[in-house]
Amino acid sequence: MTITSVIVVYAVIWFLVLFCVLPQRIRTQHEDGKVVPGTSGSAPTDSNIKYKFFVTTVISSVISMIVCL
């Protein structure tokens, strides 16, 4: 596998894993009881995006190594 193929495989897997990780552990404004005027009650209060990017990177690295090997 060339380096370009490895990068493309990693990028595709990273985005697939990201879309699986994003909806996990979401607290909505309605659940917290603090709905900001002008927003939906289903809007997240804290998305923890840095943590989710870290988890996505770790999981996708493992999966990419398995696929590329």
Side-chain angles (χ1 to χ4, degrees), residues 20-35:
C20 293
V21 169
L22 276 177
Q24 307 302 320
R25 294 184 176 181
I26 292 289
R27 296 279 306 163
T28 63
Q29 292 180 9
H30 179 71
E31 291 172 342
D32 286 344
K34 300 177 183 177
V35 179

Side-chain angles (χ1 to χ4, degrees), residues 32-68:
D32 286 344
K34 300 177 183 177
V35 179
V36 176
T39 62
S40 174
S42 61
T45 55
D46 185 22
S47 60
N48 296 326
I49 200 72
K50 287 182 183 179
Y51 175 75
K52 290 182 180 186
F53 279 179
F54 176 74
V55 169
T56 299
T57 302
V58 170
I59 292 172
S60 61
S61 296
V62 172
I63 293 173
S64 295
M65 283 191 291
I66 293 170
V67 168
C68 289

Side-chain angles (χ1 to χ4, degrees), residues 1-12 68:
M1 225 182 215
T2 64
I3 189 70
T4 307
S5 300
V6 172
I7 292 170
V8 169
V9 167
Y10 180 78
V12 169
C68 289

